[in-house]
């Protein structure tokens, strides 16, 4: 008897009414539940913007750029996929309109369409379908594809048409549509309103998509009347109107809320898949640890260039939360604009914090404020974690104020500096294009013995993700070592410095890579965990040197 061929099932998640409803968190939460039921899940985000990838987009507009292990610069929702669902992402996990059109145009220039008039339908939609199909395979049971933007957006139309065609081709038993929509509470009327959701679904229906499941974001619980109205006018079964109430304290509550409503069970039944047992006891224990911290509060100053936009440092903030969970402590983040430090000094903004974190960034705006924050941490014994640009600022500060290298700087900020302690790699000097040309993705790092990094990792070599052009200038290594800088991490093949520490400081570690991209609520990243542990110790007056 022949074994039936393996079929990959597809779930398409769309959004309506407004953006920023949380499609990424919803998709990741469903991914977690389905994976915990024993299914092999992959996840994907299709973004309607014309940029080829997120690499050249401003954090003020787009939030952080998430970097995958294979070096793709992607939408921040991929961070939710990896952190919550535990699903590893690759460059096939994020396609944009720009990337789709680039492929179509390149094929047209090569004569690949054999003289045909190239059109949105079928050529662009075929390319989108090929992107979706790239996730299929014998080792994949379910693919969850999130469509960026909102139903009704002009730029989203080719993607919506493509998923309509894709589901039609694979059949209803192999694909389903989930629509995430808003049921707003109108304060003046004192009630929830379903009309925006009805209209959002109406837009989808005009192009041939009828949602199988409706997930309703709301501030308050839906009554049976609300659910019946949505079921009737949106042509969705009553039990498939799922509410997603704003969580009070943690986004990690969302998977449990969806599980309590049986969302994953309905999905498996509709996809004709066996409903296997669900075991999320570790997730429940993690959430209990977060919501009931036993070790008080550790306050961390996040000194950045983009702190006015919450999503600009999304993964960093989440990694701090994960470290807090590991230590059963509430990590309270004090967001500090580095330009404010330049104007008023460190004291008004950093006094009383238990740790200082200087994250990555680009450009010279606010740099002197970051350097001043590193000096404050060094001279006062405050635990310090520098990431990417944060490491470079720590190196510049040490060179100026400990090694006496006047006007030491990075050539990114001062091309004429007499002491370029941070400089472009030689291969970067030959790069003219900005997109996708940095040092990107996972690289090995050899960790030195008897270092805080070694104690944190418990390993002699690790792999971490990078996103930068500038590096520590090894010409200054010996000079800095003699003054107390410890070179704790080095790339084993290139000799590039990946992590530095300060001898004699309670906890001062800075790394060129981005450890936040490999942290999860169930397993805090070792450096973040060690940093928060040091911040907790610093709360005791005996630990302070100021």
């Amino acid at each position: 008897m022949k074994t039936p061929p393996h079929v990959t099932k597809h779930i398409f998640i769309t959004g309506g009414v407004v953006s920023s409803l949380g499609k990424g968190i919803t998709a990741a939460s469903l991914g977690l539940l389905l994976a915990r039921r024993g299914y092999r899940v992959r996840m994907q985000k299709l973004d309607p913007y014309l940029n080829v990838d997120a690499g050249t987009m401003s954090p003020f507009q787009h939030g952080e750029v998430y970097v995958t292990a294979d070096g793709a610069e992607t939408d921040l929702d991929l961070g939710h996929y990896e952190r919550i669902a535990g699903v590893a992402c690759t460059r096939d996990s994020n396609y944009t309109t720009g990337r789709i059109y680039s492929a179509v145009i390149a094929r047209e220039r090569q004569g690949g369409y054999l003289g045909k008039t190239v059109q949105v339908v079928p050529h662009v939609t075929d390319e989108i379908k090929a992107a979706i199909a790239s996730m299929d395979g014998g080792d994949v049971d379910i693919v969850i594809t999130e469509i960026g933007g909102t139903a009704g957006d002009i730029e989203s139309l080719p993607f919506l048409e493509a998923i309509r065609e894709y589901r039609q081709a694979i059949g209803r038993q192999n694909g389903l549509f989930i629509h995430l929509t808003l049921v707003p509470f109108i304060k003046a009327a004192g009630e929830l309103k379903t009309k925006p959701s009805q209209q959002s679904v109406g837009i989808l229906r005009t192009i041939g998509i009828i949602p199988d499941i409706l997930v309703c974001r709301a501030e308050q619980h839906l009554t049976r009347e609300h659910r019946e109205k949505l079921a009737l006018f949106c042509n969705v079964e009553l039990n498939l109107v799922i509410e997603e109430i704003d969580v009070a304290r943690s986004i990690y509550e969302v998977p449990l809320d969806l599980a309590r409503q049986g969302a994953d069970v309905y999905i498996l039944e509709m996809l004709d898949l066996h409903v296997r047992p669900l075991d999320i006891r570790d997730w429940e224990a993690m959430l209990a640890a977060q919501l009931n911290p036993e070790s008080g509060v550790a306050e961390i100053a996040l000194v950045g260039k983009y702190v006015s936009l919450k999503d600009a440092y999304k993964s960093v903030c989440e990694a701090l939360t994960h470290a807090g969970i590991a230590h059963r402590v509430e990590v309270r983040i004090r967001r500090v604009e580095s330009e404010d430090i330049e104007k008023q000094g460190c004291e008004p903004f950093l006094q009383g914090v238990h740790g200082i974190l200087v994250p990555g960034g680009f450009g010279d705006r606010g740099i002197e404020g970051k350097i001043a924050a590193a000096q404050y941490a060094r001279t006062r014994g405050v635990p310090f974690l520098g990431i990417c640009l944060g490491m470079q600022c720590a190196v510049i500060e040490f060179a100026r104020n400990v090694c006496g290298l006047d006007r030491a700087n990075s050539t990114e900020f001062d091309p004429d500096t007499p002491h370029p302690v941070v400089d472009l790699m030689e291969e970067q000097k030959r790069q003219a294009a900005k997109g996708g040309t940095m040092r990107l993705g996972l690289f090995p790092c050899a960790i030195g013995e008897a270092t805080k990094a070694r104690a944190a990792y418990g390993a002699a070599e690790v792999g971490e993700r990078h996103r930068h052009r500038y590096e520590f200038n090894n010409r200054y290594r010996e000079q800095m070592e003699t003054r107390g800088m410890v070179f704790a991490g080095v790339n084993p093949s290139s000799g590039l410095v990946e992590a530095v520490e300060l001898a004699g400081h309670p906890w001062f570690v800075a790394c060129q890579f981005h450890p936040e991209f490999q942290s999860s609520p169930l397993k805090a990243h070792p450096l973040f965990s060690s940093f928060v542990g040091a911040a907790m110790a610093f709360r005791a007056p005996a630990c302070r040197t100021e």
Side-chain angles (χ1 to χ4, degrees):
M1 183 176 180
K2 288 186 177 180
T3 303
H6 175 78
V7 177
T8 300
K9 309 285 186 172
H10 286 264
I11 300 170
F12 300 104
I13 299 181
T14 57
V17 183
V18 295
S19 59
S20 302
L21 279 181
K23 292 195 302 296
I25 294 172
T26 302
S29 298
L30 292 173
L32 169 68
L33 297 176
L34 295 171
R36 288 304 183 91
R37 288 193 183 273
Y39 288 97
R40 299 166 297 177
V41 178
R42 294 190 71 185
M43 302 194 68
Q44 183 181 56
K45 174 78 179 287
L46 303 181
D47 274 309
Y49 52 75
L50 278 168
N51 305 67
V52 172
D53 57 38
T56 58
M57 299 177 74
S58 166
F60 285 122
Q61 287 193 12
H62 187 261
E64 77 170 6
V65 174
Y66 190 80
V67 179
T68 59
D70 62 351
E73 295 174 286
T74 72
D75 184 83
L76 61 82
D77 277 326
L78 272 69
H80 295 311
Y81 302 165
E82 293 204 337
R83 284 188 292 269
I84 297 176
V87 173
C89 293
T90 67
R91 62 181 63 254
D92 286 338
S93 301
N94 194 202
Y95 281 83
T96 67
T97 295
R99 185 175 172 187
I100 294 293
Y101 271 80
S102 293
V104 170
I105 291 169
R107 186 174 295 111
E108 185 275 332
R109 293 288 83 189
Q110 295 165 4
Y113 295 108
L114 303 176
K116 294 179 181 177
T117 301
V118 180
Q119 298 175 293
V120 172
V121 181
H123 303 106
V124 171
T125 52
D126 282 351
E127 193 69 30
I128 295 170
K129 289 187 288 183
I132 296 168
S134 71
M135 306 296 282
D136 284 5
D139 59 343
V140 184
D141 298 315
I142 302 171
V143 175
I144 301 175
T145 299
E146 174 193 350
I147 310 301
T150 307
D153 295 345
I154 293 174
E155 57 266 31
S156 297
L157 287 174
F159 292 95
L160 296 176
E161 170 61 20
I163 65 173
R164 183 197 68 78
E165 294 176 13
Y166 201 95
R167 211 281 282 270
Q168 185 180 39
I170 63 177
R172 294 180 64 87
Q173 77 281 8
N174 295 321
L176 60 84
F177 297 120
I178 298 176
H179 190 56
L180 180 65
T181 185
L182 177 69
V183 180
F185 178 76
I186 307 302
K187 189 174 181 180
E191 61 180 333
L192 293 167
K193 292 293 185 181
T194 64
K195 189 64 72 177
S197 295
Q198 296 175 41
Q199 293 177 340
S200 176
V201 171
I203 291 170
L204 288 177
R205 289 167 67 179
T206 62
I207 61 172
I209 294 176
I210 300 176
D212 299 290
I213 297 175
L214 202 62
V215 178
C216 303
R217 281 294 305 275
E219 296 178 31
Q220 300 184 10
H221 289 286
L222 277 64
T223 65
R224 182 173 180 84
E225 181 183 357
H226 292 127
R227 297 162 72 97
E228 289 176 343
K229 188 180 292 186
L230 286 165
L232 176 64
F233 290 107
C234 298
N235 200 29
V236 176
E237 293 180 22
L238 182 62
N239 61 333
L240 300 180
V241 178
I242 307 294
E243 68 175 19
E244 197 171 81
I245 301 297
D246 295 348
V247 290
R249 297 178 62 184
S250 172
I251 60 171
Y252 303 132
E253 297 177 60
V254 175
L256 300 181
D257 286 344
L258 292 174
R260 277 192 286 269
Q261 297 176 76
D264 55 327
V265 174
Y266 294 135
I267 288 170
L268 291 173
E269 290 176 344
M270 296 174 75
L271 292 176
D272 197 24
L273 292 171
H274 181 60
V275 180
R276 298 167 179 166
L278 175 66
D279 185 359
I280 49 174
R281 286 173 293 182
D282 57 345
W283 195 269
E284 292 169 335
M286 174 277 296
L287 185 61
Q290 181 186 7
L291 300 182
N292 302 284
E294 300 171 347
S295 303
V297 175
E299 187 168 12
I300 305 297
L302 178 64
V303 183
K305 295 156 58 81
Y306 320 110
V307 294
S308 60
L309 182 66
K310 187 176 180 181
D311 282 345
Y313 300 112
K314 188 67 177 177
S315 291
V316 170
C317 294
E318 289 300 305
L320 286 171
T321 297
H322 304 158
I325 293 169
H327 288 282
R328 299 298 291 262
V329 66
E330 178 189 348
V331 174
R332 193 170 294 164
I333 299 174
R334 184 189 298 183
R335 295 173 180 270
V336 178
E337 176 59 63
S338 58
E339 285 183 290
D340 290 340
I341 291 179
E342 292 178 347
K343 297 170 186 174
Q344 302 179 51
C346 289
E347 205 69 26
F349 305 101
L350 302 181
Q351 177 65 34
V353 299
H354 306 128
I356 297 170
L357 192 156
V358 178
F362 296 90
D364 60 359
R365 182 182 60 80
I367 289 301
E368 293 302 322
K370 289 193 171 196
I371 293 171
Q375 182 180 21
Y376 184 96
R378 177 180 63 81
T379 57
R380 307 211 179 193
V382 182
F384 176 88
L385 176 58
I387 296 175
C388 197
L389 178 59
M391 185 191 106
Q392 296 173 7
C393 289
V395 166
I396 292 167
E397 189 280 322
F398 190 85
R400 291 178 184 176
N401 300 314
V402 178
C403 298
L405 300 177
D406 186 48
R407 287 184 53 218
N409 215 326
S410 166
T411 52
E412 180 182 6
F413 316 131
D414 181 5
D416 300 319
T417 175
H419 297 292
V421 294
V422 177
D423 199 5
L424 270 179
M425 295 181 289
E426 283 302 314
E427 58 265 32
Q428 286 294 325
K429 293 177 181 178
R430 299 188 292 270
Q431 292 287 355
K434 298 296 184 186
T437 58
M438 287 186 278
R439 187 181 178 203
L440 293 166
L442 193 76
F443 290 88
C445 176
I447 307 295
E449 296 182 10
T451 61
K452 290 181 171 60
R454 182 69 165 265
Y457 281 109
E461 184 169 306
V462 298
E464 293 284 2
R465 302 181 194 183
H466 290 249
R467 181 178 182 250
H468 55 95
R469 295 185 189 280
Y470 291 80
E471 302 276 358
F472 174 79
N473 189 340
N474 272 321
R475 287 164 40 201
Y476 292 89
R477 178 169 174 172
E478 183 177 351
Q479 187 174 0
M480 291 192 177
E481 276 182 319
T482 61
R483 301 306 298 269
M485 179 164 278
V486 177
F487 293 85
V490 176
N491 182 282
S493 58
S494 67
L496 293 171
V497 172
E498 310 285 41
V500 300
E501 300 180 6
L502 293 184
H505 192 284
W507 205 95
F508 191 108
V509 179
C511 50
Q512 187 60 73
F513 47 79
H514 287 268
E516 68 270 24
F517 293 148
Q518 297 199 92
S519 187
S520 76
L522 295 175
K523 188 178 180 181
H525 189 281
L527 286 185
F528 277 87
S529 183
S530 183
F531 171 55
V532 169
M536 293 171 66
F538 182 76
R539 294 179 303 184
C543 295
R544 304 190 186 186
T545 59
E546 54 186 300

